[in-house]
Structure formats: C-alpha cells, structure tokens
Amino acid sequence: MSHFGRSGPPDISDTYSLLILNITFRTTADDLFPLFDKYGKVVDIFIPKDRRTGDSRGFAFVRYKYADEAQKAVDRLDGRVVDGREITVQFAKYGPNAERIHKGRIVESAPRSGHRSRSRSPRRRHRDDHYRDRDYRRSRSRSHDRYERDRYRGKDKDSRRRSRSRSASPDYSKGRGRGRYDDDRRSVSRSISASPARCSPSPRKSTSPRKSPPRGESPDRRSRDGRSPSR
DNA sequence: GTTGAGCGTT
C-alpha cells in the first residue's frame, strides 16, 4: 500500500531528500516509511529499481517535509541497523530539491539542531555526477569480481607470456634492424622451404581435392603460417 | 536464491 514513486514525483515543492545507503536489497519503501516517519513528516520515499529485473539497487531516497526533521533523521537513523544491516543516511546531493539545500537553506555542516559529533563526514566527492558511474557500478554489481578477475588474469598471463616471447628476441631485433629485407627474404625462403612440407602429404589432397579439405586444417595452417613469420 | 559502492522516478 505504498504509492511511493508509483507515478513520479508527487510534490517536491518543499521537500528535502535524504539518501539512504547500505540498505538490504529486500528493503522496500514500506519498510523505511515507518522508520523515517517517526522522526518527521515523510512526503515520499523512492527506491531506484532496475528497469529490467526490478530489483532494488540497495539505496533509497526519503523526502522530508521539513529540513530540521530531515537533519534529525540523518542523525538518528544514520548507522541504524535495518533488516540486519547498518544503513547510512545522508542528505542527497543531486535531485530536484538538492538545489534548495545548496541555496543556503541547509548546509551539510550547519545543522541547526545542534552539532553531533557522530556525524560522519559526508564524502563530498567532486562533481562526477555522471551516469557513467551508475553504469559502471551496475556492471560491477551482480557480476562476480572474482570470476572476472580470474578470467582477466588468465588472459593477462597469456598475453604477458606472448609478450615475453616477443620480447625474448632482442637478437632478432638487432639483426633485423638493418636487414629487414633479409628477414623478408628469409621469410620467403622459409615459405618456400615449408611449401613442400605443407603440400607434402598429398594423400588427402587426392582424397578430396577441393570439396572438403580436412576442415580446420587448411585455415589453421594458413593462420599459423601467416602469423608466425609476420610477428 | 547470489552481490555491497553509490545519488533518483514522471
């Protein structure tokens, strides 16, 4: 029975948004409403959800009617354990009413209710309010870092190994420095030399001259041949 | 069914 965020922002004329972080993925607006409503007049609660899956993203926005109440809620609910998890309550930086806060009405470090020592410093990051972060975060979420990292590591290792292989030929580099043509010639020479080797097993050729050259063998051979001398 | 730094819908 919560029409919060059902049809967009209801009335954000005089509301102050709070950002609730570190909430469980199962926590809904209904669960937060009573908790936050206890400390003030909650106008609306909005929990961003994934468009595809519709799952909660782990944070919510609570709009208060009055700033002092919002500040109070921040001081009282920040660090409160909800559903077995410690939530983080702080003023929302961006949003429809964020400008109001920035205008001078409310300052992050100017709580009229008093100065709470326990108010953790809000990590005021630079203006990196780009959707890029969101995508990045989303991407990082759900996906297993371990898995991806492992995969990357394997790739990296392979790449490094190959790199080393390449790097382990300084002599070649030196000798090739001036004799590039030589290298080319040598390549050709090798090509010719390998020519017989490639065509030496003729048997299969006669078996199927052009219909189906043992699938995979032909391209594989070519691929390797073209890559080895080239690099 | 999992996850965990962050900033939002018509």
Side-chain angles (χ1 to χ4, degrees), chain A residues 18-191:
Chain A
L18 292 185
L19 174 66
I20 320 300
L21 288 174
N22 214 34
I23 64 174
T24 55
F25 294 97
R26 305 178 297 197
T27 305
T28 62
D30 294 329
D31 301 330
L32 298 176
F33 177 69
L35 203 75
F36 283 83
D37 193 54
K38 279 194 302 187
Y39 296 97
K41 175 73 171 131
V42 176
V43 196
D44 180 47
I45 296 182
F46 172 61
I47 298 183
K49 293 180 277 224
D50 195 303
R51 297 282 219 214
R52 306 164 291 242
T53 64
D55 282 349
S56 177
R57 277 158 65 173
F59 65 95
F61 288 96
V62 178
R63 271 198 273 271
Y64 271 97
K65 180 69 174 154
Y66 302 104
D68 55 350
E69 291 178 351
Q71 180 64 49
K72 197 158 147 184
V74 172
D75 287 339
R76 305 301 280 178
L77 293 177
D78 184 31
R80 186 62 61 89
V81 179
V82 176
D83 200 11
R85 201 159 178 96
E86 195 176 279
I87 65 172
T88 302
V89 181
Q90 56 190 216
F91 274 93
K93 289 190 185 72
Y94 312 105
N97 58 351
E99 279 187 343
R100 293 183 65 81
I101 301 178
H102 230 45
K103 254 175 190 176
R105 187 91 186 189
I106 283 195
V107 191
E108 283 179 319
S109 13
R112 54 183 283 187
S113 204
H115 49 282
R116 296 271 178 176
S117 305
R118 70 190 289 287
S119 64
R120 53 184 71 180
S121 53
R123 48 187 100 167
R124 42 171 78 186
R125 283 184 99 189
H126 295 72
R127 301 182 175 190
D128 54 355
D129 57 310
H130 280 74
Y131 304 93
R132 177 171 53 82
D133 280 35
R134 195 173 61 164
D135 271 4
Y136 173 76
R137 182 174 52 58
R138 208 92 267 288
S139 235
R140 192 175 57 64
S141 240
R142 293 268 175 178
S143 48
H144 317 91
D145 345 351
R146 286 186 297 109
Y147 194 70
E148 279 198 6
R149 223 168 45 187
D150 259 8
R151 260 184 66 198
Y152 251 79
R153 251 178 61 185
K155 224 153 120 188
D156 192 298
K157 216 154 90 168
D158 195 13
S159 185
R160 205 166 60 183
R161 206 177 54 183
R162 232 182 287 169
S163 189
R164 221 163 138 271
S165 223
R166 242 193 294 163
S167 192
S169 44
D171 304 342
Y172 258 120
S173 193
K174 234 192 217 169
R176 201 164 63 183
R178 282 237 176 166
R180 230 180 96 187
Y181 285 89
D182 193 22
D183 188 36
D184 256 14
R185 248 197 335 219
R186 190 165 56 192
S187 190
V188 174
S189 200
R190 198 155 33 156
S191 201

